[in-house]
Amino acid sequence: MPLHVPLAPAPALRSVLTALGSPTAVREARTPSLRAAQGPATPELPLPVHVLDRITAQGLSATRLAGWRFLIRCGERAVAAADTMLTPDGWAFSHFFEGPYIASTERALQQAEALQQQYQPRLLSVPGLYMLTLWLHGEVAAEPAEGHPAATDLLIPLAPAPPGISAHRPYRVSELLPVLTHRATPVPLLGSPA
């Protein structure tokens, strides 16, 4: 089933295109693959990046949109990614980067394409666990900047995943949430009030 990749805000895309066209931005980026790329670099597959700041014992707290991520493709493969962020003046380019999450994101998107159900792909970052997942939201027509993971949505942890959580294994939110809650809920120190 095809994924319903949401449209990124036009200013976010323009800011990435401007950065890609700037020799200074590309040269100063800490992405050797992007600096060494032959041929045109194009931003593709815009994904809204949501952040889960807190997981309570009761479950998920609300997520917030932190930015949009574009995979930067040169030829047949993604060599880097570009993040944008919301500023008081609107969407702006943040930075280029590379690393294991680039290939892992591509792999997770390929896995999602093979599923029988249609989804809207998003990224969900769980900073407290140093974890990034491909979030497959079941409401394909939903506003990409809003919402939180539904129990039936899928999360595909990207590699490297935290110990004990398998990367590239699709989990229902209802299945992974107890694991995340257990990991993210601080254990009271001895002698501290309960």
Side-chain angles (χ1 to χ4, degrees):
M1 286 282 161
L3 293 175
H4 292 266
V5 178
L7 290 176
L13 176 58
R14 277 195 304 272
S15 72
V16 170
L17 289 169
T18 300
L20 282 170
S22 164
T24 304
V26 172
R27 188 172 51 253
E28 290 179 4
R30 297 177 190 258
T31 55
S33 295
L34 185 58
R35 286 195 310 263
Q38 300 294 317
T42 56
E44 295 182 353
L45 293 167
L47 297 172
V49 180
H50 290 259
V51 175
L52 179 60
D53 289 318
R54 248 179 351 115
I55 303 173
T56 66
Q58 293 75 35
L60 293 173
S61 65
T63 63
R64 65 180 168 81
L65 181 68
W68 282 81
R69 178 166 297 167
F70 297 79
L71 293 180
I72 307 299
R73 186 168 303 281
C74 289
E76 296 295 313
R77 65 184 192 95
V79 296
D83 275 357
T84 62
M85 62 184 180
L86 191 57
T87 69
D89 295 325
W91 289 101
F93 171 75
S94 174
H95 62 279
F96 292 116
F97 68 95
E98 64 181 71
Y101 285 138
I102 308 302
S104 189
T105 300
E106 280 192 307
R107 179 178 169 192
L109 286 165
Q110 289 169 353
Q111 284 179 271
E113 282 284 346
L115 298 173
Q116 296 302 309
Q117 188 174 340
Q118 296 184 6
Y119 291 101
Q120 181 189 88
R122 303 170 173 199
L123 291 172
L124 180 64
S125 173
V126 186
L129 297 176
Y130 301 100
M131 180 178 181
L132 185 63
T133 70
L134 179 64
W135 167 16
L136 299 174
H137 192 47
E139 294 181 47
V140 296
E143 172 60 40
E146 297 173 1
H148 62 278
T152 56
D153 287 353
L154 292 181
L155 298 175
I156 302 176
L158 302 182
I165 296 175
S166 298
H168 296 287
R169 177 184 178 265
Y171 294 89
R172 291 245 176 252
V173 168
S174 60
E175 177 187 5
L176 189 57
L177 181 60
V179 175
L180 299 181
T181 303
H182 177 71
R183 293 266 182 101
T185 305
V187 177
L189 296 174
L190 237 99
S192 64

